[in-house]
Structures are given as structure tokens and as C-alpha cells.
Amino acid sequence: LLLCEFRANLSSSKMRLSAFFGCVITFSVFTVAFCAPVREETFANIKNSPTDKIVLFYRAGEPASKSALRVLKAVAKSNILPASVEFLKCDCSLSVNEADVREAQFSEFPILFVTSSQGGIQRYNGPIETAALSDHASITFNDVTEDAVINFKDEDTLFELIDKENKPAFVKFFE
């Protein structure tokens, strides 16, 4: 939200119109500057990058790839992830990427990967939908708070929790 306050006397409609467009332009620049963009990269650059990222491997022109790109852009614009997370895309139909695509044995597109410093490289196998990818990425990149942790001592309690919540659970076992 960007607020513009004018204390000058804007008596003419031309001045009011100029002030309005000034606010619109300022807001547009602000939005572009602070929304995480989806950046095109080569396969080699992605492979050698140690950063936290969500990567879409796609083939330009394919309907499923276009849909996946819209989803990735929506997640990037949502600003629910730390600013350090990069959003990358790689067009596997480009000649510069052919050898790496063959080596990786990618044949069906789109393919999404989530890479984090703690979890490593994980192929995303969930539905390619904004809510599902956002949830997965949020769990991967955002810190877990103690109030989200439930301790249990036996399997029955675990299964009751899973049945009650009706959503996936991350379980950490320790002695």
C-alpha cells in the first residue's frame, strides 16, 4: 500500500490529474522493484547456483508450461517467502540447454524443483497450482515456530492428528 499526501493547493484539474498520475507511476515502480521477478536462466547457470530457489524447467509454447509459468509468477508475486529465494525458469527447448537437458534425462515438461540450503534439491511432485506450490515453498523456506509443533508419543496419536487435520504432516523422529 502506497499513500500519497499532497499539502499543496491543487486548484486546477490539470494539477490534480498530474498528481494522480505521479502516484500511479510511483506505485508501479515500487511494485516492480519489490516483487520477486521470475528470471530466465540457462540450465548450466541454474545447476551451478547455490542459492535458495524455485526453478521451472519448461518448453516455450506448450500449454502446460504456460500454465506452470503463470503459477510460478503468482507465487513470486505473493511475497510469502523470504527475499533471498530466487524464482528461475529455464526454457529447455533452447539450443544452449539441449546437452544439459539430455544429461538430466528430462523428457516431460513442465518440471519444478525447490532448492534450499537445508533441504537440498527436491523435485516438486505436487499439483502445479498456486496454493499448493505456495504451501510447499512456505514449508520449505520459512522457519517453523514452536507453536506449530505437536509432540506425540505413539502412532495412534499421530494417526488421529493426521485424520483430524486431513493434510500432510512432517514428522521428525528422535530418540
Side-chain angles (χ1 to χ4, degrees):
L1 179 62
L2 181 65
L3 299 175
C4 294
E5 182 178 337
F6 294 97
R7 296 197 181 268
N9 182 8
L10 301 178
S11 56
S12 76
S13 60
K14 188 175 184 179
M15 287 180 71
R16 283 192 295 271
L17 191 57
S18 294
F20 171 75
F21 284 117
C23 279
V24 169
I25 290 168
T26 302
F27 178 73
S28 299
V29 168
F30 179 84
T31 301
V32 169
F34 292 100
C35 285
V38 177
R39 194 174 76 240
E40 185 77 36
E41 282 291 344
T42 64
F43 199 116
N45 286 346
I46 291 170
K47 186 167 55 172
N48 297 321
S49 169
T51 60
D52 289 348
K53 59 188 157 287
I54 300 177
V55 182
L56 171 65
F57 293 97
Y58 71 102
R59 286 200 181 275
E62 291 183 0
S65 290
K66 287 179 183 179
S67 176
L69 185 54
R70 280 192 297 276
V71 167
L72 185 61
K73 286 179 179 179
V75 173
K77 288 180 183 178
S78 71
N79 292 322
I80 62 167
L81 301 176
S84 61
V85 176
E86 293 184 298
F87 298 89
L88 306 176
K89 60 182 180 169
C90 177
D91 186 352
C92 294
S93 62
L94 298 177
S95 59
V96 69
N97 297 319
E98 281 180 8
D100 288 313
V101 170
R102 248 190 330 276
E103 182 182 327
Q105 298 179 352
F106 290 175
S107 59
E108 293 185 27
F109 298 92
I111 304 170
L112 279 162
F113 284 90
V114 177
T115 303
S116 69
S117 55
Q118 293 180 347
I121 301 170
Q122 302 171 14
R123 184 170 180 166
Y124 174 73
N125 291 313
I128 301 180
E129 299 168 352
T130 304
L133 182 59
S134 293
D135 288 347
H136 178 80
S138 182
I139 291 167
T140 302
F141 295 113
N142 291 327
D143 293 330
V144 176
T145 59
E146 284 299 316
D147 60 325
V149 176
I150 301 170
N151 293 310
F152 62 93
K153 295 189 186 291
D154 58 56
E155 281 184 356
D156 292 336
T157 307
L158 170 64
F159 292 129
E160 286 172 15
L161 290 168
I162 292 172
D163 290 341
K164 183 174 92 178
E165 294 293 324
N166 196 23
K167 52 183 164 177
F170 175 77
V171 180
K172 180 179 178 182
F173 294 96
F174 63 94
E175 294 182 51

